[in-house]
Amino acid sequence: MKQPCALKCSITIMFFFLIIQPLVNGQLDYKFYDATCPNLTKIVKFGLWSAMTNDTRIAASLLRLHFHDCISNGCEGSVFLDATDSFQSEKDANANRNSLRGFELIESIKENVEKACPGTVSCTDILTLAVREAVVLSGGPYFSLPMGRRDGLTANITLANTDIPSPFEPLDDIITKFTTKGLNLKDVVVLSGAHTIGFAQCFTFKPRLFNFNGSGGPDPQLDASLASSLQTQCPNQDSSNTNLVPLDNVTTKKFDNVYYKNLVNNSGILGSDQALMTDNRTSGMVLNYSKFPFLFAKDFGASMVKLTTVGVLTGQNGQIRNKCNLVN
Ligand SMILES: *[C@@H]1O[C@H](CO)[C@@H](O)[C@H](O)[C@H]1NC(C)=O
Ligand SMILES: *[C@@H]1O[C@H](CO)[C@@H](O)[C@H](O)[C@H]1NC(C)=O
Ligand SMILES: *[C@@H]1O[C@H](CO)[C@@H](O)[C@H](O)[C@H]1NC(C)=O
Ligand SMILES: *[C@@H]1O[C@H](CO)[C@@H](O)[C@H](O)[C@H]1NC(C)=O
Ligand SMILES: *[C@@H]1O[C@H](CO)[C@@H](O)[C@H](O)[C@H]1NC(C)=O
Ligand SMILES: *[C@@H]1O[C@H](CO)[C@@H](O)[C@H](O)[C@H]1NC(C)=O
Ligand SMILES: *[C@@H]1O[C@H](CO)[C@@H](O)[C@H](O)[C@H]1NC(C)=O
Ligand SMILES: *[C@@H]1O[C@H](CO)[C@@H](O)[C@H](O)[C@H]1NC(C)=O
């Protein structure tokens, strides 16, 4: 008698997945540290919780640190490296110098992880988990993350200067910076939603306040009462350039969908944020997220998982750094 298909086929399917799985997502695996560092999540969570009781702003800072690492040269921890004889530090890139934060926190969590499971967990994976915990502790969605990223052996300030989007850039250029990394238009809109928490330095939107495009007045795409409040917080002189203004003026510390509501009523702070509402390729998504918080929560998790897999090093590539700022 012939074997029924059920068994044979399921075996075939099983082997199919065994072979295909690593090709789909590198060596990343949801159970990667289950045996080798079972307390990892607990350690990272505690590190974030302690940091945020002192400084809630650290949540937004970590999202930014992670994004700047991943979007230039992939998620491989190059952003942590100090300069050496053979490369400059990405910490000195235009988008990072005097603004990137969170290095000490990740380094201190890494020390605790090293005590529990020496030489096992990359700085890149610690940052990835820390970002998830930062989102959750700010009231945002939980999303599970495959692990197994390894740390890179070099940094590249040129790539950091060219690949990290700037708030002054046209939306088309920003979209290109995402699509060349395998991210899409929806990811641009969804990941921009991280600006629901955190602060911006005045210089990042000052051109919108006083003499927008040579008009002698503020950007017409900026709500008039918000514009006058921003003019007070960011007076038209260089000394105000580093003053901090909340990106979401309404629920500054809460990870929610109010960022999109703000864009709908012309209250986006950065020109690059407000552009998502003026461009008809993205405005429909902005409207959707402004109305449906659960849709945003679900899509944000999915786009973050995508972002965390950009350009990762797995298997035998890279290394597990002992300290995040130095190659071993
Ligand atoms: C995990 O942490 C608990 C305490 O929270 C400790 O009792 C246990 O030994 C730790 N496990 C490992 C494998 O380090
Ligand atoms: C508390 O946060 C501030 C930044 O807001 C930081 O300078 C300081 O080092 C933090 N203190 C501790 C104990 O982490
Ligand atoms: C940085 O990346 C650019 C573009 O890929 C490359 O031309 C350059 O050699 C790299 N620099 C270093 C120091 O690796
Ligand atoms: C800036 O002004 C020029 C000429 O006045 C106009 O063509 C252009 O569309 C304006 N740009 C923006 C972003 O408003
Ligand atoms: C928030 O925006 C309103 C105008 O929409 C303004 O009156 C208020 O001062 C702003 N608050 C902050 C902290 O920026
Ligand atoms: C924009 O929408 C928010 C609600 O999300 C509201 O609190 C805020 O006052 C609105 N701003 C303006 C200028 O209408
Ligand atoms: C967007 O606007 C342009 C011109 O304003 C138009 O050609 C295009 O069809 C519009 N696209 C969508 C998706 O509405
Ligand atoms: C907005 O949401 C609706 C319902 O979920 C969906 O059908 C539509 O395609 C969405 N629009 C955009 C532009 O994403």
Side-chain angles (χ1 to χ4, degrees):
M1 229 173 85
K2 276 195 171 172
Q3 217 179 2
C5 176
L7 180 62
K8 216 162 57 177
C9 295
S10 70
I11 290 174
T12 312
I13 288 167
M14 208 174 77
F15 277 104
F16 180 77
F17 275 106
L18 284 177
I19 294 161
I20 289 300
Q21 200 65 12
L23 299 178
V24 171
N25 57 10
Q27 313 283 320
L28 300 183
D29 183 341
Y30 288 92
K31 299 179 182 302
F32 196 85
Y33 296 117
D34 279 10
T36 53
C37 198
N39 283 347
L40 173 61
T41 306
K42 221 187 296 179
I43 297 167
V44 174
K45 199 180 285 191
F46 178 74
L48 255 289
W49 178 81
S50 323
M52 283 182 68
T53 50
N54 169 47
D55 173 21
T56 50
R57 192 184 155 209
I58 197 71
S61 301
L62 288 182
L63 275 155
R64 187 164 183 267
L65 178 61
H66 175 258
F67 177 66
H68 285 199
D69 183 35
C70 292
I71 203 73
S72 80
N73 219 13
C75 307
E76 30 66 289
S78 58
V79 74
F80 293 116
L81 292 173
D82 291 335
T84 67
D85 289 343
S86 46
F87 56 78
Q88 286 177 276
S89 174
E90 292 176 19
K91 293 172 189 176
D92 294 322
N94 297 329
N96 295 342
R97 196 176 43 235
N98 300 326
S99 67
L100 218 50
R101 304 171 77 239
F103 295 108
E104 298 81 4
L105 174 58
I106 298 302
E107 204 71 71
S108 98
I109 296 173
K110 170 72 171 170
E111 279 173 28
N112 291 335
V113 171
E114 284 299 303
K115 280 177 206 150
C117 5
T120 307
V121 186
S122 66
C123 295
T124 310
D125 269 347
I126 290 173
L127 175 61
T128 309
L129 279 176
V131 166
R132 198 263 313 283
E133 296 309 322
V135 170
V136 170
L137 285 170
S138 305
Y142 175 89
F143 41 94
S144 53
L145 287 162
M147 291 281 117
R149 294 165 197 77
R150 292 167 63 87
D151 297 321
L153 306 177
T154 185
N156 191 321
I157 192 174
T158 312
L159 287 176
N161 278 328
T162 53
D163 291 2
I164 299 172
S166 137
F168 307 113
E169 268 182 307
L171 183 56
D172 274 327
D173 295 13
I174 294 176
I175 290 169
T176 303
K177 289 180 174 183
F178 278 71
T179 52
T180 55
K181 299 290 147 61
L183 301 166
N184 61 27
L185 197 58
K186 181 174 173 179
D187 297 317
V188 175
V189 178
V190 174
L191 294 172
S192 297
H195 286 168
T196 176
I197 55 174
F199 295 79
Q201 296 187 45
C202 287
F203 81 89
T204 58
F205 55 87
K206 225 188 235 180
R208 303 184 71 200
L209 300 185
F210 299 101
N211 186 16
F212 177 72
N213 197 19
S215 67
D219 185 346
Q221 231 88 76
L222 182 58
D223 174 78
S225 85
L226 179 58
S228 73
S229 150
L230 293 174
Q231 287 169 340
T232 311
Q233 298 177 73
C234 309
N236 196 8
Q237 56 225 11
D238 288 350
S239 60
S240 78
N241 278 351
T242 57
N243 293 358
L244 293 172
V245 171
L247 283 162
D248 167 6
N249 168 316
V250 182
T251 55
T252 301
K253 295 181 176 181
K254 191 161 190 307
F255 197 102
D256 55 19
N257 70 329
V258 172
Y259 164 82
Y260 297 101
K261 297 187 184 193
N262 292 337
L263 298 187
V264 171
N265 62 20
N266 280 343
S267 302
I269 303 286
L270 304 178
S272 53
D273 284 337
Q274 194 58 51
L276 297 173
M277 192 58 208
T278 38
D279 191 301
N280 66 2
R281 291 169 297 174
T282 49
S283 55
M285 287 185 262
V286 171
L287 274 169
N288 267 0
Y289 294 133
S290 77
K291 285 184 232 156
F292 306 119
F294 292 106
L295 180 66
F296 169 57
K298 175 172 118 344
D299 287 355
F300 185 79
S303 286
M304 278 301 286
V305 173
K306 262 175 96 174
L307 175 64
T308 68
T309 62
V310 169
V312 294
L313 300 172
T314 55
Q316 302 299 308
N317 296 320
Q319 61 177 206
I320 304 298
R321 275 181 217 149
N322 298 322
K323 282 180 59 52
C324 297
N325 65 329
L326 301 170
V327 171
N328 299 345

